[in-house]
């Protein structure tokens, strides 16, 4: 979902 | 992962390592704002809260630990290490950075992608990181000239988010519905804040003279 997608960056 | 993001992460890591090395080897933090370092420690602490709950990759976890460890140890050195603390310029480093923390927190409560604890703090960390360099830039203008390690630190720190912008452009065109306005706008504001520093840094490099 969106959350995991954009929390893959530092 | 793409080359822009990897370059960005490496640039970011080198910036904190340059600063940590300077403080650790010559036991001096002259020209460095502890307030910017404290803001960065808060940025990482609130951005990497999910370090134990959501595993992305070894690389991701390793880098989070590097950024958390380096930012907190730099603050520790500047606040509690006797020799280093003596070189801290308390009179000049007077930016009221707690106002930045408060306003970013309020903004995160108002504008976020999802109203959950982690997401609001993650958004807060983005807003705070965008302005975290302000105390350092103000201190820079007050201290006559800065040593080139501090200059390199600021240059690399400013460059990393610029590389992230290239990464977001790349991901926008290669991944369907990869859209994150908050990340993009904060990243752009953050990079633009370094604009005049980059200008003077480039001039000092071109004319091969001290940065002041």
């Amino acid at each position: 979902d969106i959350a995991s997608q954009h929390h893959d960056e530092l | 992962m793409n080359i822009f993001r990897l370059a960005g992460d490496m640039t970011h890591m080198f910036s904190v390592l340059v600063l940590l090395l300077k403080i650790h080897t010559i036991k001096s933090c002259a020209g460095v704002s502890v307030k910017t370092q404290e803001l960065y420690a808060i940025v990482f602490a609130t951005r990497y809260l999910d370090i134990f709950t959501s595993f992305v990759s070894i690389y991701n976890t390793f880098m989070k630990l590097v950024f958390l460890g380096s930012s907190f140890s730099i603050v520790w050195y500047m606040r509690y290490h006797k020799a280093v603390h003596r070189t801290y310029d308390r009179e000049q480093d007077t930016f009221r950075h707690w106002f930045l923390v408060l306003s970013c927190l309020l903004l995160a409560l108002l504008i976020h992608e999802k109203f959950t604890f982690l997401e609001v703090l993650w958004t807060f960390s983005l807003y705070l990181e965008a302005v975290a360099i302000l105390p350092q830039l103000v201190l820079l203008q007050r201290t006559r000239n800065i040593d080139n390690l501090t200059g390199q630190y600021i240059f690399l720190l400013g460059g990393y988010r610029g590389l992230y912008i290239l990464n977001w452009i790349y991901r926008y065109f290669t991944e369907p519905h990869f859209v994150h306005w908050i990340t993009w706008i904060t990243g752009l504001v953050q990079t633009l804040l370094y604009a005049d520093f980059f200008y003077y840094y480039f001039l000092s490099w071109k004319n091969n003279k001290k940065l002041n």
Side-chain angles (χ1 to χ4, degrees):
Chain A
D1 68 334
I2 292 286
S4 60
Q5 188 197 24
H6 71 185
H7 284 319
D8 70 350
E9 292 184 344
L10 290 170
Chain B
M1 175 58 80
N2 59 65
I3 188 63
F4 303 112
R5 184 143 71 97
L6 184 64
D9 290 341
M10 291 304 109
T11 305
H12 190 192
M13 184 172 68
F14 286 133
S15 78
V16 291
L17 293 185
V18 156
L19 185 59
L20 199 50
L21 207 70
K22 158 186 163 142
I23 291 175
H24 178 73
T25 40
I26 59 174
K27 294 291 179 283
S28 160
C29 65
V32 179
S33 160
V34 74
K35 299 182 179 219
T36 285
Q37 299 311 314
E38 285 169 346
L39 291 178
Y40 257 101
I42 296 171
V43 165
F44 295 133
T46 52
R47 186 170 306 173
Y48 301 152
L49 286 171
D50 61 353
I51 186 169
F52 300 113
T53 56
S54 73
F55 177 77
V56 175
S57 69
I58 301 275
Y59 169 82
N60 187 272
T61 304
F62 173 72
M63 292 300 277
K64 285 175 176 177
L65 292 172
V66 165
F67 291 138
L68 283 166
S70 56
S71 58
F72 279 93
S73 41
I74 288 169
V75 170
W76 178 84
Y77 262 114
M78 293 185 71
R79 280 249 180 261
Y80 305 109
H81 186 288
K82 252 194 332 295
V84 174
H85 183 69
R86 231 194 337 265
T87 63
Y88 170 56
D89 197 348
R90 176 202 307 275
E91 287 74 36
Q92 302 263 33
D93 190 15
T94 59
F95 198 100
R96 311 159 81 84
H97 60 323
W98 299 117
F99 283 123
L100 290 178
V101 174
L102 199 69
S103 42
C104 289
L105 197 55
L106 292 178
L107 190 60
L109 287 167
L110 289 174
I111 307 173
H112 42 261
E113 280 187 19
K114 262 188 342 184
F115 193 70
T116 63
F117 179 71
L118 276 182
E119 189 66 26
V120 168
L121 282 185
W122 184 81
T123 311
F124 161 71
S125 80
L126 282 175
Y127 294 144
L128 191 61
E129 189 187 4
V131 294
I133 197 63
L134 286 175
Q136 180 62 61
L137 292 181
V138 166
L139 179 63
L140 209 55
Q141 282 162 357
R142 290 185 181 159
T143 43
R144 292 312 305 146
N145 55 8
I146 57 164
D147 63 81
N148 41 28
L149 274 174
T150 309
Q152 275 151 10
Y153 161 69
I154 300 173
F155 175 72
L156 292 168
L157 191 60
Y160 111 84
R161 213 64 181 167
L163 289 165
Y164 253 75
I165 292 174
L166 299 181
N167 150 65
W168 292 323
I169 294 170
Y170 176 84
R171 292 189 76 176
Y172 175 77
F173 287 112
T174 53
E175 296 173 33
H177 34 262
F178 179 81
V179 176
H180 296 294
W181 289 109
I182 294 176
T183 314
W184 297 347
I185 292 171
T186 50
L188 192 62
V189 166
Q190 179 172 333
T191 308
L192 292 177
L193 283 177
Y194 287 79
D196 70 326
F197 170 80
F198 283 145
Y199 172 67
Y200 289 111
Y201 195 76
F202 172 71
L203 281 187
S204 78
W205 171 76
K206 194 160 68 77
N207 312 334
N208 194 16
K209 65 179 178 48
K210 201 95 172 101
L211 179 67
N212 56 35

